[in-house]
Amino acid sequence: MFTIGYVLAIVVVLIPMILSYASTGRFPAVPLRRVILLAAIVPGIVCFEAALRISLEYYWFSELGKTQRFVLALEYRTAIFFTVAILVGWFVGSNLRVMCRSVWPFTPAALWLVTLVFSIVLATIAMSLWIPLMAYLGAGASGVADPVFGKDVSFYLLEMPLYQDVVGGVIFILLFMFAVWGAANLLSGGSQGTTVGVVMRQGVSTPLANLLQSTNWTPGAGPLAASSPRRRTMLLAALLCVALALSRMLERYHLVIDGHSKVLAGASYGDIHFWIPAYDLTIVAWLALACLLLANSVVPRVAHWFAEQPARWLVPCGLFVLVYFGAYAVPAALEEIYVGPNQITLEQRYLLRGIAGTRRAYNLDGPVLDEREVGVSADPLTAADLKANAATLRDFRIWDWRALEPQLQQIQGLRPYYRFSGVDIDRYVVDGSERQVMITARELDVDRLPEPAKVWVNLALKYTHGYGAVVVPVNEIDARGNPVLWARDIPIRAKDGLAVTHGQIYFGEATGERVYVHTTEKEFDFPQGQANVETTYTGDGGIEISNLWRRIVIAHQVDGLRLFISQYFTPESRILLRRNIVERAYTLAPFLTFDHDPYIVADGDHYSYILDAYTSSDSYPYSQAYDGSVRVFGGQNYLRNSVKAVIDAYNGSVTFYIFDSNDPIITAYRRMLPGFFKDAAEMPANLRRHVRYPEDIFTVQAEMYGTYHMTNPTTFYNREDRWEVPRELFRDREIEMLPYYATSQLPAVSTPEFMLMLPMAVAGKNQMAGWLAGLCDGENYGKLMAFRFPKGTFIDGPAQIEARINADSRFSGDLTLWDQHGSHVIRGNLIVLPLGGNQLIALEPVYIEAEQTRIPVLARVVLGQLLPDNRRIEWAPTLTDAEDLLVGTSLQPAAALQPGSGLSPDTFAQARDVFEEMKRQYASGNFARYGELLQELGKLLAPPQR
């Protein structure tokens, strides 16, 4: 709509000229008034477009109460744009006009056009510097200094990035100017100070001769004028040398971040004793060359002296090249000749610096990390042990989120247009006790509507929100092998502690499209029988469409003319924009990085999402850059989970809570954005108890800790005790093990605690070395606990456990049988948990998935005790049965049971009938029924419950 209007406006102005040309064959003289109108229409369109976009952003930020953040960014971006555009335009234009005065091959207007375009493009790019500028202005001392230059780490995290951008920009501008000047000399047929024509030197082509002559001083020409092209070129060359010296000075500081050593992060022995002096020498060389060029441009005698014999330039230029390349060759040679043979001795103190710096950068030191050596008990589990650890075993998870999601989509999707966007693990107080559950939101996906229903009224006004969440206890199943549901259906039926007053989800993970509320068209709320329940939004979210300008602004962004011709809108109507919660949070805080896994929380009145946010940098001194599985942090060497964002799923409000006030980066942002962040203590209690240790930072920490748990420099140098994230089976392939949430009782801790855990394996071996746990509850939130097993003790790692399951004749036959003829075996998340008494157990659910339904059904629970140099593994249809088998309180599974083996004749006959029916269902391909019968058979053969 707007594009058509812009084109029509230009056409209306040009119509008289077009008609005249059509009738006479030539363009008429254009009145000055029409010329002015034509010249003003393009910038007018640009300004109008800017006003529309700025207005929309202002309304959106105002809706969320973040106007100050919008205004600050607008001020910074505007100031940067005009400052860069004006300064660069003036600097480049005025200097190029002088430098290219006698060699510019085009009209003078072309030179100014090149300058204008370059300055606008550069200013547009520079607008992105508003975030580094804000961090720079908010920087404050952190109290931690680097051991080489004594600079506070805030200098590296917050100040140096801006310095590098500015210096890099100056160098780019100067190189651009020299490129234009060189191109003009090569393209022109003349040179500065001579008549335009052909200038030939012996053995040199004409364009190159022009370029060379443009830098020469002609004897007898008199004093250099201020506007002399040659003088201006020399001055700019001197300025370029100064900028390159500053760049090398910043690179000198960068050595404490990324030095030349291959064995440690930061400045090594060679960097401090050889490379830093070499960098100092190159800085002096650049500055000396700048002084020489400056003298050549402002001191006529010096200029005459070089002009009389141009070969005199060979001496300083040769010295510069010798110094510059020598500053690379000599330190590299000394590293190879001297440091290499003595490396382990010379690098001791620097290895310690690298270890300490990396652990500090990834929050792996100090009071945050508790490291312990714990032996694994060799005592077999008993029924008394199971009873003592009942609180842990009650929440021992048998549902893998990857297997549970398609199950829930089948039994709780209810309609094709509902979808579940990931299953999360959390804990709630249910029926008076804290239980671990799996929760997922039922969101609306309009792409799943039937094609005839995908009309504008439905997409924009009718289908506006999802409804409710499904909650599953982590280790309960029904008789058919399906999950037990603690919150389900529409309207929501939920246990105490899981119910909400407003079940509508207007903002979510899978939600993206704009919708309008408070229109004359009722919104679809949820299906009920043959009819649908309708509702009207009563929340505070949305931008009001209350006047003509607002309607124009929104029409420009979405829906165009519909906003003016539709009869559904009223002065109270609103539009909900950016309903995807990650996009919503990122638009507000683009200086933060967000976790891949937001999770929904039932907080009593409605639903909210908690989204973890991180600050990161690639400039922390003596810290190893990350290169692991979490790609978003690749190349970063500093990471903090400083912020948690809470997004209201009903109103769309976003609140940022600071959970790490010691982070210098978030402190700088908070200083520049007062009121934007809140303290963690201000988070409501009903949300605070659902805070979790986030997966992304935990994965990064685990991968870094695998190397940096070694604090002895000699051990670290040889990498002789490196750990790695173990591998496990999922479906038919081996994958890297993912961290998992669990409720467990850690050694020397009296009560079970909700935590994020990950076993660690000895690098290159299927041997467990220990495990890492991130605590989530109460005052312990944010703490890490690292447990290592004593050297010389062999504990099966996850991959070894998987291999032993495959090799065990009790299990392998069934696994092979189930994994063919239209069904697949899914091996779920392998979970290793410590129990009280330092006993270690492992659990893996096994599912059968029919190719036709693609719905996994729980078939077996594998449970094992990991012992020093030994293990005991059992499986059964339920966790309780597997526990009984493991402690020896149950008969073995009745694969070989005969009449008289402990089962009553009736029970044995029933089991035989069920087994025969299983074979018939298997042969017919009805694997869903096969799974149900399998569960039934397991219950018939199971011992009585304790």
Side-chain angles (χ1 to χ4, degrees):
M1 179 182 83
F2 287 85
T3 303
I4 295 174
Y6 300 148
V7 172
L8 288 176
I10 296 174
V11 169
V12 167
V13 175
L14 294 177
I15 281 177
M17 299 172 59
I18 296 172
L19 293 176
S20 176
Y21 180 80
S23 60
T24 64
R26 60 186 180 85
F27 286 107
V30 182
L32 179 61
R33 182 174 56 187
R34 190 169 294 276
V35 171
I36 295 174
L37 180 62
L38 188 61
I41 197 168
V42 173
I45 291 173
V46 172
C47 292
F48 182 64
E49 280 282 314
L52 291 173
R53 296 177 186 275
I54 291 172
S55 295
L56 181 65
E57 294 299 307
Y58 177 80
Y59 296 146
W60 187 80
F61 277 85
S62 298
E63 168 208 343
L64 295 171
K66 309 293 184 185
T67 308
Q68 183 187 18
R69 147 69 182 88
F70 170 75
V71 171
L72 179 74
L74 181 63
E75 290 175 346
Y76 279 23
R77 289 162 64 88
T78 304
I80 291 172
F81 178 84
F82 285 106
T83 300
V84 172
I86 293 171
L87 290 180
V88 171
W90 167 78
F91 181 80
V92 173
S94 60
N95 282 289
L96 282 180
R97 184 176 61 86
V98 175
M99 293 169 66
C100 302
R101 175 180 299 163
S102 57
V103 296
W104 183 249
F106 309 107
T107 63
L111 182 61
W112 286 108
L113 180 62
V114 169
T115 300
L116 178 64
V117 172
F118 175 74
S119 61
I120 290 176
V121 170
L122 192 65
T124 303
I125 296 172
M127 289 169 65
S128 63
L129 293 179
W130 77 271
I131 294 177
L133 177 60
M134 180 176 65
Y136 174 84
L137 295 176
S142 69
V144 179
D146 82 88
V148 177
F149 301 112
K151 291 282 190 180
D152 191 274
V153 296
S154 63
F155 167 78
Y156 297 96
L157 298 177
L158 301 169
E159 298 177 17
M160 196 165 76
L162 185 64
Y163 293 149
Q164 291 173 323
D165 289 334
V166 172
V167 172
V170 170
I171 293 173
F172 178 74
I173 292 168
L174 292 169
L175 290 176
F176 171 79
M177 293 169 62
F178 280 110
V180 173
W181 170 74
N185 277 279
L186 293 173
L187 291 174
S188 70
S191 63
Q192 300 174 12
T194 65
T195 304
V196 176
V198 178
V199 180
M200 281 296 298
R201 296 184 178 187
Q202 187 175 1
V204 183
S205 64
T206 301
L208 183 58
N210 294 335
L211 181 60
L212 294 173
Q213 183 167 339
S214 67
T215 61
N216 284 345
W217 167 257
T218 305
L224 291 175
S227 60
S228 166
R230 179 186 172 283
R231 179 183 184 188
R232 191 64 59 90
T233 304
M234 289 292 184
L235 284 172
L236 292 175
L239 182 59
L240 178 61
C241 291
V242 172
L244 290 170
L246 290 174
S247 178
R248 179 47 57 95
M249 183 179 296
L250 294 175
E251 291 174 10
R252 178 175 176 269
Y253 284 118
H254 200 269
L255 287 175
V256 300
I257 300 168
D258 184 18
H260 293 83
S261 175
K262 297 180 180 179
V263 299
L264 65 100
S268 63
Y269 179 91
D271 290 315
I272 291 175
H273 292 86
F274 308 139
W275 286 103
I276 289 179
Y279 277 34
D280 292 339
L281 189 60
T282 56
I283 292 170
V284 172
W286 279 118
L287 294 177
L289 185 58
C291 291
L292 183 61
L293 291 169
L294 181 63
N296 196 269
S297 65
V298 300
V299 181
R301 182 173 296 181
V302 175
H304 278 291
W305 188 76
F306 279 104
E308 287 172 353
Q309 295 187 30
R312 289 172 177 168
W313 279 106
L314 293 177
V315 176
C317 291
L319 284 174
F320 176 81
V321 171
L322 181 64
V323 169
Y324 197 83
F325 285 99
Y328 280 96
V330 173
L334 289 173
E335 282 255 33
E336 186 70 25
I337 296 170
Y338 177 66
V339 177
N342 306 285
Q343 193 173 54
I344 195 169
T345 302
L346 296 176
E347 301 287 20
Q348 288 270 338
R349 63 184 298 194
Y350 308 105
L351 285 167
L352 288 172
R353 289 179 181 178
I355 294 169
T358 301
R359 287 169 66 101
R360 187 164 51 244
Y362 291 95
N363 223 14
L364 292 171
D365 71 338
V368 175
L369 178 65
D370 183 1
E371 298 175 284
R372 303 181 186 181
E373 182 172 287
V374 177
V376 177
S377 173
D379 298 330
L381 276 173
T382 65
D385 293 326
L386 296 181
K387 184 176 181 180
N389 291 279
T392 296
L393 296 173
R394 180 183 59 182
D395 286 329
F396 207 170
R397 180 162 59 87
I398 62 174
W399 284 110
D400 188 308
W401 59 270
R402 294 163 292 193
L404 182 62
E405 186 172 335
Q407 278 247 19
L408 296 182
Q409 187 65 54
Q410 180 70 20
I411 63 178
Q412 279 292 299
L414 304 183
R415 292 292 188 274
Y417 43 77
Y418 284 128
R419 61 170 289 191
F420 297 103
S421 53
V423 179
D424 299 301
I425 302 171
D426 202 350
R427 67 282 197 205
Y428 285 81
V429 176
V430 179
D431 295 335
S433 61
E434 184 170 281
R435 297 296 304 273
Q436 190 181 155
V437 302
M438 305 178 81
I439 182 171
T440 182
R442 186 187 291 107
E443 297 191 58
L444 183 70
D445 185 355
V446 293
D447 290 335
R448 297 186 178 188
L449 287 171
E451 286 301 323
K454 291 181 180 179
V455 296
W456 182 81
V457 171
N458 283 342
L459 299 179
L461 310 178
K462 197 75 176 176
Y463 291 93
T464 59
H465 57 272
Y467 201 99
V470 177
V471 181
V472 174
V474 296
N475 69 344
E476 295 187 19
I477 59 173
D478 62 19
R480 296 184 176 183
N482 293 324
V484 174
L485 305 177
W486 281 357
R488 65 189 188 279
D489 300 340
I490 302 176
I492 304 168
R493 294 191 293 167
K495 284 180 172 285
D496 291 341
L498 299 170
V500 296
T501 304
H502 297 94
Q504 294 89 351
I505 299 174
Y506 284 86
F507 302 86
E509 295 182 67
T511 305
E513 297 296 325
R514 56 81 188 91
V515 294
Y516 298 92
V517 295
H518 290 184
T519 64
T520 58
E521 178 69 18
K522 291 281 189 179
E523 303 168 45
F524 165 77
D525 200 21
F526 56 83
Q528 192 172 59
Q530 298 300 316
N532 293 328
V533 176
E534 295 183 325
T535 188
T536 299
Y537 181 67
T538 59
D540 300 326
I543 300 171
E544 291 184 353
I545 315 175
S546 55
N547 55 47
L548 178 61
W549 175 250
R550 284 175 176 259
R551 190 163 294 198
I552 292 172
V553 167
I554 294 168
H556 174 264
Q557 179 72 16
V558 290
D559 295 324
L561 280 174
R562 287 193 178 98
L563 264 75
F564 298 97
I565 62 178
S566 174
Q567 301 299 312
Y568 294 110
F569 296 105
T570 71
E572 289 75 35
S573 296
R574 301 180 191 174
I575 181 173
L576 306 183
L577 291 173
R578 294 184 181 128
R579 297 197 297 140
N580 179 277
I581 57 173
V582 177
E583 178 191 8
R584 200 168 181 84
Y586 178 78
T587 305
L588 287 170
F591 40 82
L592 299 176
T593 304
F594 293 93
D595 196 88
H596 80 283
D597 186 28
Y599 57 100
I600 194 166
V601 173
D603 65 3
D605 182 69
H606 52 271
Y607 295 107
S608 294
Y609 284 90
I610 297 180
L611 175 60
D612 285 280
Y614 306 97
T615 57
S616 62
S617 173
D618 60 0
S619 301
Y620 196 88
Y622 277 104
S623 177
Q624 178 67 48
Y626 175 72
D627 182 22
S629 60
V630 187
R631 296 302 179 191
V632 70
F633 296 123
Q636 303 296 291
N637 71 353
Y638 173 86
L639 183 61
R640 288 291 186 276
N641 173 219
S642 298
V643 175
K644 293 185 184 294
V646 175
I647 303 97
D648 191 310
Y650 190 70
N651 293 312
S653 62
V654 183
T655 309
F656 295 95
Y657 297 95
I658 292 181
F659 273 72
D660 188 352
S661 57
N662 295 320
D663 173 23
I665 297 180
I666 202 63
T667 301
Y669 292 143
R670 185 173 195 174
R671 190 174 290 122
M672 298 304 296
L673 294 168
F676 188 80
F677 299 99
K678 293 185 177 182
D679 290 321
E682 299 180 65
M683 180 180 280
N686 59 340
L687 293 174
R688 183 67 175 82
R689 62 172 172 260
H690 294 287
V691 165
R692 308 185 311 184
Y693 204 108
E695 293 179 52
D696 282 354
I697 190 173
F698 183 82
T699 302
V700 172
Q701 289 175 317
E703 293 174 358
M704 296 304 296
Y705 188 75
T707 299
Y708 285 88
H709 74 91
M710 297 179 285
T711 55
N712 180 282
T714 303
T715 305
F716 180 88
Y717 178 83
N718 294 316
R719 300 296 200 271
E720 61 187 56
D721 189 25
R722 191 171 64 84
W723 298 353
E724 63 185 10
V725 176
R727 303 184 73 80
E728 65 173 344
L729 287 178
F730 180 71
R731 291 188 180 273
D732 57 350
R733 59 192 177 92
E734 196 176 75
I735 63 171
E736 194 171 82
M737 196 169 186
L738 300 174
Y740 51 86
Y741 290 99
T743 299
S744 181
Q745 184 172 338
L746 295 175
V749 177
S750 58
T751 58
E753 187 161 354
F754 187 70
M755 65 188 70
L756 183 62
M757 296 185 63
L758 184 66
M760 300 297 290
V762 177
K765 296 183 179 181
N766 291 328
Q767 175 184 350
M768 200 181 306
W771 74 88
L772 199 65
L775 307 185
C776 302
D777 290 342
E779 297 299 322
N780 288 332
Y781 170 77
K783 294 180 180 178
L784 280 171
M785 299 193 76
F787 297 91
R788 66 171 66 228
F789 300 140
K791 296 289 181 64
T793 301
F794 182 87
I795 304 293
D796 282 346
Q800 186 69 17
I801 298 171
E802 300 277 20
R804 294 190 187 280
I805 295 171
N806 288 336
D808 196 314
S809 60
R810 296 173 298 165
F811 318 138
S812 57
D814 287 339
L815 292 174
T816 302
L817 177 66
W818 295 338
D819 205 22
Q820 58 186 345
H821 300 302
S823 65
H824 301 288
V825 170
I826 298 177
R827 305 274 281 270
N829 193 190
L830 179 64
I831 297 175
V832 178
L833 277 186
L835 299 179
N838 293 347
Q839 292 162 316
L840 201 62
I841 58 174
L843 177 146
E844 182 178 68
V846 178
Y847 308 92
I848 299 176
E849 179 187 67
E851 284 186 354
Q852 294 175 339
T853 62
R854 311 298 297 181
I855 301 174
V857 176
L858 183 66
R860 287 291 186 270
V861 176
V862 179
L863 184 66
Q865 181 183 5
L866 306 182
L867 304 164
D869 303 312
N870 200 358
R871 79 290 312 155
R872 298 172 60 224
I873 302 176
E874 301 290 347
W875 80 346
T878 67
L879 177 59
T880 301
D881 295 342
E883 291 172 1
D884 289 339
L885 289 170
L886 195 63
V887 300
T889 60
S890 171
L891 295 175
Q892 292 296 316
L897 283 180
Q898 302 295 331
S901 61
L903 291 175
S904 68
D906 289 343
T907 302
F908 186 83
Q910 292 177 31
R912 185 175 54 195
D913 293 342
V914 170
F915 183 70
E916 293 300 323
E917 179 66 16
M918 284 175 62
K919 290 194 293 184
R920 287 191 291 271
Q921 296 297 333
Y922 185 85
S924 65
N926 188 351
F927 298 103
R929 178 59 180 158
Y930 176 86
E932 295 173 3
L933 292 168
L934 183 64
Q935 295 295 324
E936 185 178 341
L937 178 63
K939 290 186 175 297
L940 286 171
L941 302 179
Q945 299 294 317
R946 297 190 306 276

